[in-house]
Amino acid sequence: MHLDEVAKRVRRDVIQMIMHSQSGHPGGALGAAELLSVLYFKTMRHRPEEPNWEGRDQFVLSNGHICSAMYSCLARSGYFNTQELLTFRKINSRLQGHPSRHDLPGVETASGPLGQGLSIANGMALGMRLAGIDRKVYCLVGDGEMQEGQIWEACMTSPQYKLNNLVLIVSWNDIQIDGTVTQVKNLDPLSTKLEAFGWHVLKIDGHDISDIETAFAEADRIKNKPTAIIAKTILGKGVSYMENKSEWHGKAPSIEESLRALKEIGTSEFQADLVAE
Amino acid sequence: MALESGRDGFGKALLELGETNSKVVALSADLTESIRAHWFAEKYPHRFFQMGVAEQDMIGTSAGLALSGFIPFATTFAVFAAQRAQEQIRMAVCYNRSNVKIAVSHGGLTVGEDGATHQGLEDIAVMRVLPEMTVLVPADSEEARLATLAAAEWDGPVYLRLGRTPTPVVTENADPFQIGKARILAEGNDVTIVACGIMVNAALQAREMLEKEGVAARVLDMHTIKPLDQEALLKAAVETKCMVTAEEHSVIGGLGGAVTEFLSAEQPIPILRVGTQDTFGESGTPDELLEKYHLTPDAIKKACQKVVQSK
Ligand SMILES: Cc1ncc(C[n+]2csc(CCOP(=O)(O)OP(=O)(O)O)c2C)c(N)n1
């Protein structure tokens, strides 16, 4: 399946999961569909049948609220049955509202409290290096999330230890809960800031599959520095009434709205395995 | 007798672990020598990570290392780990069940001249309340050494609270050290003193004073605040029928909190708590501070006399 189709499938899963539980964060999840699809179905080496395989690349979802998209990728790559996606956010589910490492195979760390992921990813990258394992850690953060102080502590740690086995991806959609990032607490110029901190910085279109693939390939060639990819994304991408609207950061669409969303997303593959009534 | 601090015992054990356990690594937040991690850092530089003045980042990085199979000892002062980075400890360490050991010095008033900002008096409470967390407060340098070795073997998060000030070794002849098992340092059936940290020594002195007055006090070294040794507490409650807890920490939420919570449900008896009374500390010498805030053998003795009356 072409990665564009994979990303559409992620979007359909996200909408169906959130519709089913009538709770969740569709905006950021829809916006990260291409990034996660490339990671899970192209770039990362991993073994769903052996989640703790030592030779795997690791993914840290720092902005844990968009976990519906990660759960879709985990299920679709075989970590668990796709039917389980419909238990998202429900009682007794392994698919917690924010990721729980202890409950679900394939989740490398808990997340949700913003700002923590990059530190954890740094620790994993240091651990890989110490164990002599030549693999990578990919860490996704939101742009609003970068207002957290801990992120900047961690942004100093990665270059200090020359973690070229670490890739930071910023989902730059300029939206957070209370408005645009520019209004709430401006981050720009982010690339200049990260460069000043010692990062190799790339700016890409976060919905362009080949842009994303090229950026990960370039990160593989960088020595002595960590790479940060600033990916321009659209909150709610693929669902016209959600796009660029901060109210869709953390609100579930009604059944009727969901059906409209599913229709708009479209996909060549019929998802008989995930039918919500 | 040569005096040594808890942090000295920790530093020695960490150095031993460098030799015996290749999974052990250490992290510091610009206080390497203060917590005595410098011996390890000098000998095992590739297993030592200087994180700078960034405790929240240090905790997260430790969690990542633990999730990669290492046994990190994250080191700083009590206030800066337990309180500055509490939420990081909650999620990255405890909720993840990551095998991180948080080793802190400067627990308690005996930090001394640095004053209230640096005196950890609420740290046991905020660590004890976390699911999955084990909390150790050794009595002296030798017990700190044993607790450090045991923490490295223990599977799961540990908070290891150490003192700054040198004190005598009082656990030389005690039973073998085991996490979750109180050490009975003295027998007696009139009252039990349950103590941790440097207050174990004060408890033993209080016991001698009480003995002269015909009161036989049992002394429990409760080096593990969580999981509590329920068996030893129940036995003491049944046999001595009253108790005093003593800790270099607030009476709210620490050892006294843990003991009273447990016994009020299982074996209600009169219990008095010696500790700081919901207050910050201040600058002064360690001895002056212990005196002013009533963390002395005499304070424990008086509490014992009072609690015995209410049996
Ligand atoms: C430490 C912390 N503070 C607050 C929140 C609540 N919260 C969840 S998402 C969010 C906004 C995040 O914005 P951004 O990273 O841009 O994510 P996006 O809106 O793009 O999904 C906030 C404030 C949180 N999860 N963690």
Side-chain angles (χ1 to χ4, degrees):
Chain A
M1 204 191 294
H2 189 271
L3 287 169
D4 280 314
E5 284 298 317
V6 173
K8 279 187 191 170
R9 195 176 59 184
V10 170
R11 291 197 166 93
R12 285 186 64 101
D13 286 349
V14 164
I15 294 294
Q16 294 196 57
M17 290 161 75
I18 295 176
M19 169 173 88
H20 213 66
S21 64
Q22 278 302 297
S23 137
H25 299 77
L30 294 172
E34 280 82 11
L35 291 167
L36 292 190
S37 297
V38 173
L39 282 171
Y40 277 94
F41 296 94
K42 174 82 192 275
T43 302
M44 291 202 301
R45 290 149 292 190
H46 60 125
R47 293 183 179 162
E49 67 290 354
E50 196 188 337
N52 295 323
W53 174 46
E54 268 211 344
R56 73 192 185 282
D57 293 314
Q58 290 181 284
F59 175 64
V60 171
L61 180 75
S62 188
N63 47 343
H65 60 279
I66 71 157
C67 57
S68 57
M70 178 174 74
Y71 293 160
S72 163
C73 290
L74 289 173
R76 297 286 168 190
S77 50
Y79 284 87
F80 52 87
N81 195 300
T82 50
Q83 269 303 315
E84 202 174 337
L85 290 175
L86 296 183
T87 69
F88 176 54
R89 285 188 162 241
K90 293 189 174 165
I91 190 80
N92 297 326
S93 174
R94 300 194 294 173
L95 279 60
Q96 288 292 297
H98 293 86
S100 165
R101 173 185 175 272
H102 194 65
D103 288 300
L104 195 65
V107 173
E108 300 281 3
T109 176
S111 58
L114 296 171
Q116 296 201 40
L118 185 58
S119 301
I120 298 170
N122 282 336
M124 290 172 173
L126 286 169
M128 279 180 185
R129 180 184 284 173
L130 204 53
I133 298 169
D134 182 20
R135 286 293 184 260
K136 274 210 155 54
V137 185
Y138 297 89
C139 176
L140 179 63
V141 301
D143 51 356
E145 179 180 11
M146 294 208 74
Q147 291 157 351
E148 279 289 350
Q150 188 187 346
I151 287 268
W152 296 96
E153 297 180 2
C155 276
M156 285 189 265
T157 297
S158 331
Q160 180 76 27
Y161 282 95
K162 301 186 169 53
L163 293 177
N164 63 328
N165 60 345
L166 177 116
V167 179
L168 171 69
I169 308 151
V170 183
S171 173
W172 181 278
N173 57 22
D174 196 31
I175 289 190
Q176 57 188 109
I177 297 178
D178 283 352
T180 67
V181 177
T182 316
Q183 289 166 342
V184 173
K185 189 179 267 196
N186 185 27
L187 266 183
D188 232 10
L190 182 60
S191 57
T192 317
K193 285 177 182 147
L194 288 170
E195 272 161 13
F197 273 60
W199 290 72
H200 179 69
V201 183
L202 301 170
K203 281 169 109 168
I204 64 166
D205 173 350
H207 300 302
D208 183 320
I209 297 286
S210 80
D211 244 31
I212 301 170
E213 288 178 347
T214 311
F216 289 146
E218 179 169 335
D220 278 343
R221 292 190 296 273
I222 302 299
K223 305 285 169 233
N224 289 319
K225 270 184 180 199
T227 296
I229 299 172
I230 301 175
K232 180 85 197 68
T233 55
I234 294 171
L235 182 113
K237 169 78 174 170
V239 177
S240 56
Y241 63 86
M242 290 189 182
E243 287 190 2
N244 286 318
K245 301 243 165 56
S246 60
E247 72 228 54
W248 288 105
H249 158 89
K251 182 173 82 169
S254 68
I255 305 286
E256 198 247 308
E257 286 167 331
S258 301
L259 294 176
R260 258 172 65 206
L262 290 171
K263 203 159 175 190
E264 272 192 40
I265 292 163
T267 171
S268 56
E269 191 212 22
F270 176 61
Q271 282 181 289
D273 59 338
L274 244 203
V275 183
E277 57 285 353
Chain B
M1 195 190 320
L3 302 185
E4 262 194 347
S5 65
R7 59 182 176 167
D8 291 324
F10 164 73
K12 283 188 202 166
L14 194 60
L15 193 60
E16 282 179 49
L17 286 166
E19 175 78 28
T20 57
N21 191 336
S22 62
K23 292 283 179 204
V24 168
V25 299
L27 298 90
S28 151
D30 203 28
L31 290 168
T32 312
E33 194 173 329
S34 275
I35 174 76
R36 304 291 188 258
H38 59 305
W39 299 317
F40 179 95
E42 280 155 20
K43 188 138 183 225
Y44 304 100
H46 64 293
R47 285 156 64 192
F48 171 76
F49 302 101
Q50 172 61 263
M51 301 306 296
V53 197
E55 296 77 13
Q56 303 176 12
D57 185 42
M58 174 174 70
I59 294 298
T61 307
S62 303
L65 279 158
L67 294 174
S68 309
F70 290 94
I71 306 173
F73 279 79
T75 64
T76 178
F77 292 174
V79 174
F80 307 145
Q83 284 161 287
R84 173 68 64 106
Q86 209 262 358
E87 202 259 333
Q88 284 76 9
I89 296 173
R90 178 175 185 267
M91 187 200 82
V93 178
C94 292
Y95 189 48
N96 268 339
R97 279 77 161 168
S98 61
N99 196 18
V100 175
K101 318 301 169 186
I102 299 155
V104 302
S105 76
H106 290 54
L109 278 178
T110 46
V111 166
E113 294 78 354
D114 275 347
T117 53
H118 284 52
Q119 293 161 348
L121 291 174
E122 308 89 26
D123 58 314
I124 299 177
V126 296
M127 289 292 101
R128 183 173 80 81
V129 77
L130 294 172
E132 304 293 332
M133 184 58 98
T134 291
V135 179
L136 305 181
V137 186
D140 57 32
S141 65
E142 178 55 13
E143 193 167 84
R145 192 180 73 82
L146 296 173
T148 306
L149 299 177
E153 292 295 315
W154 184 260
D155 183 20
V158 174
Y159 181 71
L160 175 61
R161 188 215 213 206
L162 307 154
R164 171 179 185 271
T165 302
T167 56
V169 171
V170 292
T171 58
E172 264 162 344
N173 307 313
D175 316 328
F177 181 87
Q178 204 187 326
I179 291 177
K181 273 255 156 293
R183 302 169 99 180
I184 303 172
L185 297 187
E187 289 291 358
N189 280 331
D190 294 327
V191 59
T192 302
I193 309 170
V194 185
C196 64
I198 61 162
M199 296 308 284
V200 172
N201 184 27
L204 290 167
Q205 291 174 36
R207 182 184 185 277
E208 277 179 28
M209 292 154 64
L210 287 162
E211 200 169 28
K212 293 196 185 99
E213 296 173 17
V215 177
R218 180 177 306 189
V219 177
L220 293 187
D221 165 14
M222 196 61 79
H223 50 72
T224 307
I225 314 290
K226 188 182 175 183
L228 259 190
D229 186 346
Q230 302 186 342
E231 206 184 314
L233 282 174
L234 271 180
K235 189 164 184 288
V238 169
E239 291 174 3
T240 71
K241 299 186 184 62
C242 66
M243 216 170 255
V244 168
T245 62
E247 64 201 299
E248 197 189 357
H249 181 271
S250 170
V251 291
I252 301 172
L255 172 67
V259 168
T260 48
E261 281 162 21
F262 171 66
L263 287 178
S264 68
E266 300 298 327
Q267 186 70 38
I269 53 164
I271 303 174
L272 289 177
R273 292 165 296 155
V274 172
T276 54
Q277 303 294 321
D278 197 14
T279 176
F280 292 110
E282 64 184 280
S283 293
T285 66
D287 284 341
E288 286 166 349
L289 288 162
L290 292 174
E291 195 64 41
K292 177 161 177 181
Y293 289 84
H294 309 296
L295 300 183
T296 55
D298 190 55
I300 298 175
K301 184 194 90 172
K302 288 197 173 109
C304 287
Q305 288 168 329
K306 190 168 170 200
V307 84
V308 164
Q309 299 299 316
S310 55
K311 272 213 257 193

